[in-house]
């Protein structure tokens, strides 16, 4: 299969290109090589490449920044995604688009399945949901993948993730206050990419939750990472109210991988095993 990965130097894109390249013809497009908000250039690039599958990992996902930049959020996460879907339709290509657990409000207090009705609390979540709707209503052959709390190594230098930042700050002797009342399903980018590799073979299109099994708070994730790395740290759990943020976050955005199980794909390993 000829696959184009947009955002190939990010955490998810980096693992996808490495894993998919083993069996497929993969064309990597970094943000520097292709900005999806340039609709004409994006369309021309994809028509030139003629891929069978386009994987879009590009997003504007700095949640608090999105709150102050709704125009940019909707341009990147919604309108540009519509353009990708329309282009894929004209090319008779499949689109795999990444969304987020933040499409849910967290009030259910139990894991969300793909059947649950989204109700995002912030601009980022609303813009990602709008992108999902554009894909669903534009293109029959699509996958929408919702991960949560992604961690892993990126090719792009300087793209530190939450785990790296916590370890670096702890090594510097900084006191760390981490929220313990936002619960989610941490997802290792490598495991996510491997599951995507399995999913695209099925040709069973639709919306999928794809996360490692189990769930925790940001505090528990940081604490576990530091323990595994044998790094001593001054780590304190705090409530979200102690860190007033511009964007509201869901308190419980755990994702149940119901549809993956329905199509016969194995459950992903526990987040602690992946973190180790």
């Amino acid at each position: 299969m000829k696959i184009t990965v947009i955002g190939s130097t990010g955490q998810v894109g980096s693992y996808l290109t490495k894993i998919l390249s083993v069996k497929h013809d993969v064309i990597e497009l970094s943000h520097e090589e292709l900005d999806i908000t340039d609709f004409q250039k994006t369309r021309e690039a994809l028509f030139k490449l003629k891929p069978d599958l386009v994987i879009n990992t590009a997003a504007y996902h700095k949640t608090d920044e999105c709150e102050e930049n709704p125009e940019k959020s909707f341009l990147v996460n919604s309108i540009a995604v519509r353009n990708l879907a329309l282009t894929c339709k004209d090319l008779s290509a499949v689109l795999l688009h990444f969304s987020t657990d933040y499409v849910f409000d967290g009030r259910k207090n139990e894991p969300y399945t793909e059947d649950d009705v989204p109700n995002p609390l912030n601009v980022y979540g609303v813009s990602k949901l709008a992108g999902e709707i554009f894909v669903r209503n534009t293109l029959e052959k699509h996958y929408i993948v919702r991960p949560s709390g992604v961690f892993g190594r990126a090719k792009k230098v300087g793209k530190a993730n939450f785990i790296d930042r916590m370890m670096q700050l702890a090594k510097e002797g900084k006191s760390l206050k981490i929220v313990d009342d936002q619960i989610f399903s941490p997802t290792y980018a490598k495991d996510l990419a491997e599951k995507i590799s399995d999913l695209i073979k099925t040709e069973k299109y639709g919306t999928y939750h794809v996360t490692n099994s189990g769930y925790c708070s940001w505090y528990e994730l940081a604490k576990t990472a530091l323990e595994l790395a044998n790094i001593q740290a001054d780590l304190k759990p705090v409530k979200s109210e102690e860190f007033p943020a511009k964007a509201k976050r869901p308190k419980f955005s755990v994702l149940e991988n119901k549809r993956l199980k329905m199509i016969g794909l194995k459950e992903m390993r526990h987040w602690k095993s992946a973190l180790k």
Side-chain angles (χ1 to χ4, degrees):
M1 201 189 305
K2 192 175 185 184
I3 302 172
T4 298
V5 177
I6 298 171
S8 60
T9 55
Q11 283 186 110
V12 178
S14 297
Y15 287 104
L16 276 169
T17 53
K18 189 176 179 182
I19 288 163
L20 294 174
S21 294
V22 176
K23 292 185 178 176
H24 303 280
D25 176 13
V26 176
I27 300 110
E28 303 180 33
L29 292 173
S30 66
H31 175 69
E32 288 72 26
E33 291 166 317
L34 184 72
D35 178 353
I36 60 169
T37 63
D38 186 333
F39 302 155
Q40 191 56 38
K41 189 181 174 187
T42 299
R43 194 171 173 82
E44 286 169 3
L46 292 176
F47 264 82
K48 189 177 176 182
L49 294 168
K50 291 185 170 51
D52 303 301
L53 169 67
V54 175
I55 299 181
N56 179 42
T57 73
Y60 182 38
H61 52 67
K62 293 179 179 176
T63 311
D64 290 323
E65 276 187 27
C66 287
E67 217 56 27
E68 296 184 316
N69 297 284
E71 295 86 357
K72 183 179 176 181
S73 302
F74 279 89
L75 178 62
V76 179
N77 298 334
S78 316
I79 310 300
V81 174
R82 177 178 180 267
N83 182 55
L84 279 175
L86 287 166
T87 303
C88 286
K89 186 179 181 182
D90 292 340
L91 281 168
S92 297
V94 177
L95 175 62
L96 189 150
H97 174 64
F98 284 92
S99 188
T100 172
D101 56 324
Y102 277 21
V103 298
F104 297 111
D105 61 19
R107 293 175 186 137
K108 186 183 175 187
N109 290 321
E110 58 183 82
Y112 285 93
T113 74
E114 295 87 345
D115 301 322
D116 285 310
V117 179
N119 184 36
L121 299 176
N122 52 49
V123 169
Y124 169 65
V126 174
S127 67
K128 291 297 284 183
L129 178 58
E132 284 190 14
I133 294 167
F134 278 135
V135 172
R136 275 191 210 103
N137 292 340
T138 304
L139 189 64
E140 189 182 337
K141 292 184 176 181
H142 70 265
Y143 302 97
I144 292 165
V145 172
R146 294 176 184 151
S148 165
V150 177
F151 64 91
R153 296 265 176 240
K155 285 181 196 167
K156 193 170 184 178
V157 178
K159 290 202 91 169
N161 59 51
F162 174 77
I163 310 290
D164 290 333
R165 285 199 304 275
M166 292 306 105
M167 294 204 293
Q168 186 57 43
L169 290 168
K171 284 174 184 174
E172 291 168 6
K174 302 275 172 63
S175 179
L176 301 172
K177 292 182 178 180
I178 316 289
V179 292
D180 70 346
D181 59 352
Q182 291 173 26
I183 312 298
F184 62 103
S185 319
T187 309
Y188 181 28
K190 182 172 182 281
D191 291 356
L192 175 60
E194 285 172 350
K195 196 56 67 177
I196 298 300
S197 177
D198 294 337
L199 179 60
I200 60 174
K201 291 175 198 164
T202 68
E203 296 186 5
K204 293 185 184 296
Y205 306 112
T207 302
Y208 292 88
H209 291 171
V210 185
T211 64
N212 284 101
S213 58
Y215 51 84
C216 66
S217 66
W218 289 104
Y219 169 76
E220 190 183 348
L221 179 62
K223 184 171 181 282
T224 308
L226 292 166
E227 285 171 355
L228 287 169
N230 290 314
I231 297 171
Q232 296 297 315
D234 178 16
L235 192 66
K236 291 185 177 68
V238 295
K239 301 303 172 195
S240 300
E241 289 71 31
E242 293 184 48
F243 276 108
K246 292 183 176 70
K248 273 188 184 178
R249 267 80 165 170
K251 289 292 180 78
F252 192 93
S253 59
V254 177
L255 302 179
E256 166 67 34
N257 296 192
K258 181 183 171 184
R259 285 211 69 207
L260 282 182
K261 293 171 190 168
M262 282 172 64
I263 64 168
L265 292 183
K266 280 198 304 186
E267 190 174 26
M268 286 161 70
R269 61 181 162 169
H270 197 277
W271 66 267
K272 285 187 180 178
S273 301
L275 183 64
K276 188 174 180 179

